[in-house]
Amino acid sequence: MDLAPFKEYISKVCGLRFDDRNGEQKLGRLLRERMRATNLGQPANYLDRLVTDPDELQDLIELLTVNETYFFREAEQIRLLTDSLVPRFIQHYNGRDKVRILSAACASGEEPYSLAIALFERYGESMFHLCRVNGVDIDSAVLAKAEQGIYGEFSFRGVSPEIRTRYFNKAAAGWQVKEDIRSQVSFQKLNLLAPDSAAETKGYDIIFCRNVSIYFDEATRRQIQRNLASLMKENGILIVGMTETIANNLGVLAMVEDEGQFYFVKGAPPLPEKSLIPKNLINPGNRTAPARKKSPSITSDRPLPKLITPESWKVEKNARDPIAELCQMVRDKQYDQVLPLLEDLRSKDPDDKSVLLLMAYIGLNRKQFSLAQALALQVLELDDWNIDALVLLGMAAKWSQQPEAALSYFKQAVYVCHTCWPAHYYLAELYNHSGAADKARREYRITMQQVKVSPAETGIKVIPLDLPRQQMPRLCEYQLEKLAGSAI
């Protein structure tokens, strides 16, 4: 099927773009589904239907923009909200008003409920008098689900049993948000491209609009950001997804850095006078990395060798990968579907490194750090210098607040494969957060160079890292500018 006419029309009417392979595959699959559902077997006939039938166009757009969501996604931003942003607004209002928080494009409601639960965890019942959370979305069907507040297991990956027991009741179809939390979150239909359709949706202090802009071109992102700004109070804050920040620095709102994270501001919201990364942002505590055999002794002063990427690290374009479909399922975050298949393969071959790595990666994304570490260490027992395993262990240590262990694993990864730019980037971030500015600058520059020169030669063969490669040079440049400014 020729997708070009559909891509052109959809981009024209709502700004959605499908430029990469995954986007085109999704578009083609959904077009075929809607053609069968409407009994329009010819692409030309279905395109005519889209042009003449606004309801069918809306149905297709809603399918195309269904975004995976789950509770406490990108928890670092939620902690920033509860521990820093909301306290400043509370102090600013001094009881005169509630802090109003909006979850834009909230889908089935996991995000606004996560915000409400996190605020209740921080403030208890006082939260009812201090804050108010709203959710908006263009899709009436998902809003109806959000109002019910009933969720299956897929929405709870990474949620502790204690939190689930405390804030959810067992229901026939899953788990339902308890009434005292549901009563504090309201939902409303809203098109982000036409915010005036709901005049009462105004006056927010903080807006979350995360993992939405990936669907839109720059012109549409700019329009959406202007519309979101119109929903804010004069001094408001916009938080986008952690990997979307640079792509949304469009000059509409000012971008600031706060406690190592970035967001956008309108006017002059209550913020610290300086937005510098604190040296002790990551607290290592008393935990250490799990021991493993044959670890090399790497010091920060050891010069990096000039290595040629071994042929075994390169994947031939025409080579058949027997678990390529499973890798794609993991990339698409179909964890519940792919885990039984991986377990079956593991039972047949307990030493299949690709299977172990994919399971470890799923564990990592579900915040099951001990499981992820154990599986990655099992891979290292089989292959002492497996880049995927070293990067996985570094990420697990980083996310579980073990910065020294994370540094060690990422150093080992770049020692073995100097072209592993993801490990260089993570090293830069760790050095930056700990205040080691010179080392951070060096790693940011190496990351930029490797992304430009050999972006595919990372040594990583299995795990689908979710790093925005195309935006990486701009992100590193921005960090280098910030480091240069802080040194003045």
Side-chain angles (χ1 to χ4, degrees), residues 76-140:
E76 298 90 340
Q77 293 182 322
I78 298 178
R79 281 194 292 271
L80 179 71
L81 173 82
T82 59
D83 296 351
S84 299
L85 300 182
V86 166
R88 295 171 196 160
F89 277 102
I90 289 175
Q91 184 177 13
H92 172 71
Y93 285 132
N94 194 25
R96 298 187 305 273
D97 200 357
K98 289 184 179 181
V99 182
R100 296 192 63 204
I101 303 163
L102 177 68
S103 170
C106 69
S108 48
E110 285 91 336
E111 179 178 83
Y113 285 132
S114 295
L115 302 180
I117 290 170
L119 289 165
F120 192 89
E121 282 284 294
R122 172 69 189 266
Y123 297 105
E125 292 188 0
S126 298
M127 172 260 185
F128 301 153
H129 310 290
L130 297 171
C131 308
R132 180 70 186 177
V133 179
N134 296 88
V136 296
D137 199 277
I138 193 174
D139 189 341
S140 301

Side-chain angles (χ1 to χ4, degrees), residues 77-317:
Q77 293 182 322
I78 298 178
R79 281 194 292 271
L80 179 71
L81 173 82
T82 59
D83 296 351
S84 299
L85 300 182
V86 166
R88 295 171 196 160
F89 277 102
I90 289 175
Q91 184 177 13
H92 172 71
Y93 285 132
N94 194 25
R96 298 187 305 273
D97 200 357
K98 289 184 179 181
V99 182
R100 296 192 63 204
I101 303 163
L102 177 68
S103 170
C106 69
S108 48
E110 285 91 336
E111 179 178 83
Y113 285 132
S114 295
L115 302 180
I117 290 170
L119 289 165
F120 192 89
E121 282 284 294
R122 172 69 189 266
Y123 297 105
E125 292 188 0
S126 298
M127 172 260 185
F128 301 153
H129 310 290
L130 297 171
C131 308
R132 180 70 186 177
V133 179
N134 296 88
V136 296
D137 199 277
I138 193 174
D139 189 341
S140 301
V142 295
L143 286 175
K145 178 180 178 181
E147 289 177 340
Q148 282 189 319
I150 299 176
Y151 301 94
E153 293 293 329
F154 195 63
S155 296
F156 289 99
R157 54 196 185 279
V159 177
S160 69
E162 295 79 12
I163 290 292
R164 178 156 29 176
T165 301
R166 196 177 305 158
Y167 295 101
F168 296 83
N169 292 320
K170 192 70 178 75
W175 293 79
Q176 185 172 34
V177 182
K178 289 186 176 180
E179 174 61 26
D180 55 350
I181 296 297
R182 274 192 294 136
S183 66
Q184 298 303 308
V185 181
S186 60
F187 296 94
Q188 183 179 356
K189 185 174 181 178
L190 178 69
N191 183 351
L192 294 181
L193 289 174
D196 290 338
S197 62
E200 64 270 29
T201 308
K202 301 278 186 179
Y204 288 98
D205 298 291
I206 303 168
I207 295 180
F208 279 69
C209 188
R210 302 189 295 174
N211 305 297
V212 174
S213 66
I214 55 175
Y215 295 112
F216 300 108
D217 58 19
E218 182 174 316
T220 307
R221 291 199 305 272
R222 182 175 285 107
Q223 184 59 50
I224 288 175
Q225 199 169 122
R226 290 194 186 104
N227 294 343
L228 290 172
S230 74
L231 304 181
M232 293 180 188
K233 292 183 180 178
E234 287 305 309
N235 301 311
I237 288 173
L238 170 65
I239 298 174
V240 300
M242 296 176 70
T243 61
E244 299 176 293
T245 308
I246 296 299
N248 280 280
N249 189 20
L250 303 169
V252 178
L253 300 171
M255 186 167 73
V256 301
E257 184 176 4
D258 187 356
E259 299 188 12
Q261 297 191 53
F262 298 92
Y263 52 81
F264 298 92
V265 298
K266 173 185 177 182
L271 299 175
E273 291 185 5
K274 295 183 178 180
S275 294
L276 298 177
I277 300 175
K279 293 185 177 181
N280 297 317
L281 178 64
I282 303 176
N283 178 18
N286 296 320
R287 292 172 287 185
T288 57
R292 75 173 183 89
K293 297 179 182 178
K294 304 178 184 178
S295 294
S297 176
I298 305 287
T299 66
S300 59
D301 297 327
R302 175 177 292 191
L304 290 167
K306 295 182 179 179
L307 298 177
I308 298 175
T309 305
E311 290 298 321
S312 61
W313 292 347
K314 300 179 180 179
V315 179
E316 295 295 332
K317 290 184 178 180

